[in-house]
């Protein structure tokens, strides 16, 4: 969808000579903040934020860098949550093995769904992914291991590598932070690899990529599986953090939520989805105590974002004079 | 007895399938009409269907207006609302990637459904069928509730009327021409922006009409449209959005297939349409009636 994004207006801005160092410093500051954060905020809230930040980043890998709008990412997130929860609780696996199973399960789901969905483009792609994830939702509703409406409850967090007790919320927080950082590094590496460049070229002009001899379908499928696997990593983490996996995680509303996070933060930016996830999670926390339904606000924010600032918060900053002077640029 | 299934059960589910198919046909027809001209996938279609049912309910409880008048008024009200949305907001998105239209209408659907849930709660409210259509007739092999027969007939009539409107009238000719080449049609002096607004209102009005038809069968609830719309998306993918007639035929067909699945393999009845969608995509990606874009 980035193919037709508006060109950035305004005169050319020279990049600050130390832009690279400033960017690195910003990342370092963010890392220090993340390490210190549990001293000031609830660890469970922060962990939720990290899990959804990773989920949105995984989604953005597909939308922002490949130009494919998936309306079915809840299937990977929620599916992995079920797989991890089941492995850890029923089979007694260690948390890292459970997470791995979640990732592999989500990747397998992504392979099947992706292979079907990439047969159509654009708007059809979105509808097909939505329909397939709804099919998975009905499967989860009826399958025995998911326990239907109850979901999988009281999932043990266990001991990481058999040593570190994850029931301690600080240990758990740093584990989640490490997984989150790992996921982001994978995404960053992926996007900036030759493979990622080909994905961007497919996004910009699919026909030309075909004419240059790239097997577009295979690249799209690979990106889809990659995005599904990382969404699964986030879903597995979520199951360990909250110690349950339910139908909410596989419902279509969850697919909508992750789109909103990405759109709000900035499609095609690395930091955008994380900011977007932070905003949405904070909003949900804030509204959890009132009886005002979140969906109204979600819906209105969606409409406002699409109508007025399609670049998202981080995207707008990147497009501003200061952002460009610091050498930031949105991929879209 | 057919394949060990009592005839009555078979006919009963066939009827349920035909009724579901009627709603699939009406809704996918509206989606196809809107998509044809606006290039927007109207995610708010389910919400507009719900709006139709709620409008009928409110007309009855607040204004004392009966079913027959509501059948005409509710689609008009929903269409008017849709026209306002199109003029004020949706029309700003036509120049962009069509995905933005999908995202906008998705947000619109969430906002509408959330608002109704806030004011009317999530539980369903009954809406009585009109006295002229209550009761049932004995067809010999089964009892047919009159209202259900009416739903099939009314939706079929409306589908045919819309098809005739688009294929046989001057307005329809403008519409088809504008689908092919809006710039050229505008150059001939046709008010294309107005045509776009009317088309969106027509599509939404069809959804509203389906909502009124559905009100006495299903209960009126704020979320009645949100699960339906995903199935209708699958129907639209199976049919391909290229043809109006294709949308109608696919709607009825898949409704009946779903009904029959309930008889022979009930566990799969929720997902059979999605499975068919996957198979069609593998064998014929453009859809049964679609042209490859």
């Amino acid at each position: 969808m980035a193919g037709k994004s508006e060109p950035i207006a305004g005169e050319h801005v020279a990049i600050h000579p130390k832009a690279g160092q400033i960017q690195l410093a910003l990342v370092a500051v963010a890392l220090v903040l993340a390490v210190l954060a549990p001293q000031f905020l609830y660890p469970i809230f922060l962990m939720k934020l990290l899990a959804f930040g990773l989920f949105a980043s995984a989604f953005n890998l597909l939308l922002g860098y490949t130009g494919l709008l998936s309306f079915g990412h809840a299937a990977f997130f929620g599916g992995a949550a079920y797989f991890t929860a089941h492995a850890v609780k029923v089979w007694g696996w260690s948390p890292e093995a459970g997470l791995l199973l979640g990732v592999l399960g989500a990747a397998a789901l992504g392979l099947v769904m992706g292979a079907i969905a990439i047969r159509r483009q654009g708007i059809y792609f979105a509808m097909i992914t939505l329909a397939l994830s709804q099919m998975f939702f009905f499967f989860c509703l009826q399958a025995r291991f998911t326990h239907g409406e109850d979901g999988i409850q009281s999932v043990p967090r266990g001991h990481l590598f058999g040593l570190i007790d994850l029931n301690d919320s600080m240990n758990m927080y740093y584990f989640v932070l490490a997984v989150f950082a790992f996921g982001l590094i994978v995404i960053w590496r992926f996007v900036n690899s030759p493979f990622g460049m080909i994905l961007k070229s497919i996004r910009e002009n699919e026909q030309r990529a075909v004419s240059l001899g790239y097997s577009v379908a295979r690249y799209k499928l690979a990106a889809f599986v990659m995005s599904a696997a990382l969404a699964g990593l986030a879903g597995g983490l979520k199951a360990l953090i909250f110690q349950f996996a339910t139908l909410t995680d596989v419902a279509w509303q969850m697919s909508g939520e992750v789109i909103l996070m990405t759109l709000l933060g900035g499609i095609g930016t690395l930091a955008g989805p994380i900011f977007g996830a932070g905003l949405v999670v904070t909003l949900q926390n804030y509204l959890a105590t009132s009886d005002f339904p979140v969906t109204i606000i979600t819906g209105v924010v969606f409409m406002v974002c699409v109508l007025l600032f399609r670049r998202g918060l981080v995207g707008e900053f990147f497009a501003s004079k200061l952002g460009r002077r610091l050498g930031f640029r949105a991929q879209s | 007895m057919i394949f060990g299934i009592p005839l009555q059960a078979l006919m009963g589910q066939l009827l349920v399938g035909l009724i579901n198919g009627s709603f699939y046909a009406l809704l996918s027809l509206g989606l196809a009409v809107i998509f044809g001209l606006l290039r927007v996938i109207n995610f708010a279609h389910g919400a507009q269907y719900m709006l139709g049912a709620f409008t009928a309910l409110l007309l009855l409880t607040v204004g004392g207006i009966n079913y027959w008048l509501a059948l005409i008024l509710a689609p008009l009200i929903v269409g008017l609302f849709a026209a306002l949305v199109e003029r004020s907001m949706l029309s700003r998105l036509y120049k962009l990637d069509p995905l933005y239209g999908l995202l906008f209408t998705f947000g619109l659907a969430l906002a509408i459904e959330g608002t109704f849930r806030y004011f009317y709660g999530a539980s369903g409210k009954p809406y009585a069928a009109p006295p002229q259509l209550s009761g049932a007739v004995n067809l010999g092999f089964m009892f047919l509730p009159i209202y259900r027969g009416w739903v099939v007939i009314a939706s079929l009539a409306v589908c045919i009327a819309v098809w005739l409107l688009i294929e046989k009238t001057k307005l329809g000719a403008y519409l088809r021409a504008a689908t092919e080449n809006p710039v050229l049609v505008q150059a001939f002096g046709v008010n294309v922006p107005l045509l776009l607004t009317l088309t969106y209102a027509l599509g939404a009005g069809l959804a509203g009409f389906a909502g009124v038809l559905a009100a006495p069968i299903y209960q009126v609830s704020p979320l009645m449209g949100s699960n339906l719309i995903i199935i209708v998306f699958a129907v639209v993918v199976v049919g391909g959005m290229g043809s109006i007639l294709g949308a109608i035929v696919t709607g009825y067909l898949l409704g009946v297939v779903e009904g029959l699945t309930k008889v022979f393999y009930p566990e799969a009845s929720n997902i059979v349409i999605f499975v068919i969608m996957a198979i069609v995509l593998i064998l014929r990606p453009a859809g049964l009636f679609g042209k490859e874009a």
Side-chain angles (χ1 to χ4, degrees):
Chain A
M1 66 191 296
K4 286 183 194 164
S5 64
E6 313 95 295
I8 293 168
E11 78 282 27
H12 180 73
V13 177
I15 293 176
H16 193 277
K18 289 199 173 139
Q21 279 138 295
I22 295 171
Q23 287 190 16
L24 260 177
L26 282 175
V27 172
V29 168
L31 207 61
V32 171
L33 281 180
V35 170
L36 293 179
Q39 310 296 333
F40 308 103
L41 292 162
Y42 285 116
I44 198 104
F45 167 75
L46 289 169
M47 288 190 272
K48 183 179 181 187
L49 207 156
L50 289 175
F52 277 95
L54 181 58
F55 182 27
S57 300
F59 172 79
N60 185 42
L61 181 64
L62 199 59
L63 176 60
Y65 299 101
T66 323
L68 297 173
L69 172 62
S70 159
F71 232 109
H73 259 50
F76 313 128
F77 182 77
Y82 274 128
F83 301 146
T84 302
H86 186 76
V88 170
K89 188 183 176 190
V90 181
W91 296 337
W93 287 18
S94 62
E96 67 276 5
L99 266 186
L100 189 66
L101 182 79
V103 171
L104 291 177
L109 263 180
L111 188 66
V112 176
M113 272 174 67
I116 296 171
I118 56 165
R119 296 181 69 84
R120 297 301 303 264
Q121 288 139 352
I123 217 142
Y124 281 98
F125 182 87
M127 287 198 290
I128 293 163
T129 46
L130 175 63
L132 291 173
S133 76
Q134 185 74 354
M135 184 167 140
F136 185 69
F137 172 85
F138 281 120
F139 167 75
C140 291
L141 185 66
Q142 287 173 348
R144 196 151 300 160
F145 85 99
T146 60
H147 298 280
E149 304 275 354
D150 297 336
I152 304 178
Q153 309 258 2
S154 54
V155 177
R157 282 180 182 170
H159 288 69
L160 185 64
F161 306 119
L163 295 170
I164 305 162
D165 184 7
L166 292 182
N167 290 308
D168 179 276
S169 62
M170 280 304 179
N171 288 350
M172 185 66 192
Y173 174 77
Y174 290 113
F175 171 59
V176 171
L177 184 61
V179 175
F180 171 82
F182 166 77
L184 276 198
I185 291 169
V186 169
I187 291 172
W188 182 78
R189 194 68 207 87
F190 191 72
V191 166
N192 290 297
S193 68
F195 194 94
M197 297 298 160
I198 295 166
L199 291 182
K200 280 176 220 165
S201 79
I202 292 171
R203 183 193 69 191
E204 294 304 322
N205 193 333
E206 188 167 336
Q207 267 78 36
R208 187 168 294 174
V210 172
S211 79
L212 286 172
Y214 292 113
S215 168
V216 166
R218 227 182 280 171
Y219 279 95
K220 277 186 180 174
L221 186 57
F224 196 86
V225 172
M226 186 76 188
S227 173
L230 286 164
L233 184 62
L237 269 187
K238 196 238 120 187
L240 291 176
I241 295 166
F242 290 99
Q243 303 186 282
F244 59 76
T246 60
L247 285 171
T248 324
D249 303 333
V250 281
W252 58 265
Q253 288 89 341
M254 185 62 82
S255 300
E257 227 164 76
V258 75
I259 297 174
L260 180 67
M261 289 171 183
T262 310
L263 185 67
L264 189 60
I267 297 165
T269 64
L270 270 181
I274 303 166
F275 273 89
L279 274 174
V280 172
V281 169
T282 310
L283 183 76
Q284 283 171 344
N285 254 36
Y286 184 70
L287 287 175
T289 47
S290 79
D291 63 343
F292 193 76
V294 185
T295 42
I296 300 182
I297 296 182
T298 312
V300 171
V301 172
F302 241 112
M303 290 158 68
V304 170
C305 270
V306 172
L307 285 173
L308 299 179
F309 65 126
R310 285 178 285 277
R311 287 196 195 112
L313 294 174
V314 174
E316 289 292 344
F317 170 69
F318 281 11
S320 71
K321 212 168 171 181
L322 177 66
R324 280 183 290 158
R325 183 135 171 79
L326 292 177
F328 287 116
R329 63 200 160 82
Q331 299 291 344
S332 53
Chain B
M1 300 282 274
I2 299 169
F3 304 122
I5 308 277
L7 184 65
Q8 236 150 350
L10 188 67
M11 295 317 269
Q13 288 302 336
L14 206 61
L15 180 67
V16 170
L18 260 183
I19 287 169
N20 284 341
S22 303
F23 294 122
Y24 298 161
L26 274 175
L27 292 174
S28 59
L29 172 65
L31 276 181
V33 168
I34 292 172
F35 181 77
L37 195 57
L38 279 68
R39 298 283 134 188
V40 166
I41 285 291
N42 185 28
F43 214 123
H45 219 63
Q48 283 153 351
Y49 162 84
M50 179 274 288
L51 273 181
F54 253 101
T55 309
L57 183 68
L58 291 177
L59 282 174
L60 183 72
T61 52
V62 179
I65 292 167
N66 71 16
Y67 173 85
W68 299 104
L69 259 169
L71 205 52
I72 298 165
L73 277 179
L76 286 177
I77 293 170
V78 175
L80 188 69
F81 171 72
L84 289 175
V85 169
E86 195 275 346
R87 266 309 62 209
S88 59
M89 294 181 272
L90 189 59
S91 56
R92 295 162 199 270
L93 300 173
Y94 295 151
K95 288 190 291 291
L96 303 169
D97 191 299
L99 290 173
Y100 285 114
L102 178 76
L103 293 179
F104 172 80
T105 49
F106 176 68
L108 180 65
L110 288 183
I112 294 174
E113 283 170 358
T115 308
F116 273 77
R117 218 166 70 182
Y118 184 58
F119 287 108
Y120 299 99
S123 63
K125 289 161 188 55
Y127 181 93
Q132 298 90 335
L133 297 175
S134 50
V137 285
N138 190 351
L139 295 180
F141 53 88
M142 68 177 291
F143 278 97
L144 173 70
I146 296 176
Y147 188 79
R148 298 188 172 224
W150 155 252
V151 166
V152 176
I153 293 167
S155 65
L156 200 59
V158 168
C159 283
I160 292 171
V162 171
W163 180 73
L164 287 175
L165 172 78
I166 291 170
E167 294 294 326
K168 305 290 177 201
T169 66
K170 191 154 187 182
L171 184 68
Y174 286 153
L175 221 138
R176 278 176 288 133
T179 304
E180 293 292 327
N181 192 335
V183 180
L184 196 62
V185 172
Q186 187 141 24
F188 281 133
V190 176
N191 189 343
V192 172
L194 180 67
L195 210 55
L196 292 170
T197 308
L198 285 178
T199 306
Y200 190 67
L202 171 69
L206 279 172
F209 179 79
V212 184
L213 276 186
I217 297 185
Y218 313 112
Q219 299 211 309
V220 180
S221 83
L223 298 177
M224 64 192 287
S226 59
N227 287 323
L228 186 63
I229 190 66
I230 302 178
I231 299 177
V232 173
F233 277 177
V235 172
V236 162
V237 172
V238 171
M241 273 185 296
S243 97
I244 300 291
L245 208 56
I248 300 171
V249 172
T250 315
Y252 282 104
L253 201 68
L254 289 182
V256 169
V257 169
E258 192 187 36
L260 291 180
T261 313
K262 267 189 201 127
V263 180
F264 293 104
Y265 190 54
E267 290 82 3
S269 62
N270 276 334
I271 59 166
V272 63
I273 290 184
F274 302 125
V275 173
I276 293 175
M277 179 195 79
I279 295 170
V280 167
L281 280 170
I282 290 165
L283 298 178
R284 206 182 138 79
L288 296 178
F289 298 89
K291 300 168 286 219
E292 189 58 80

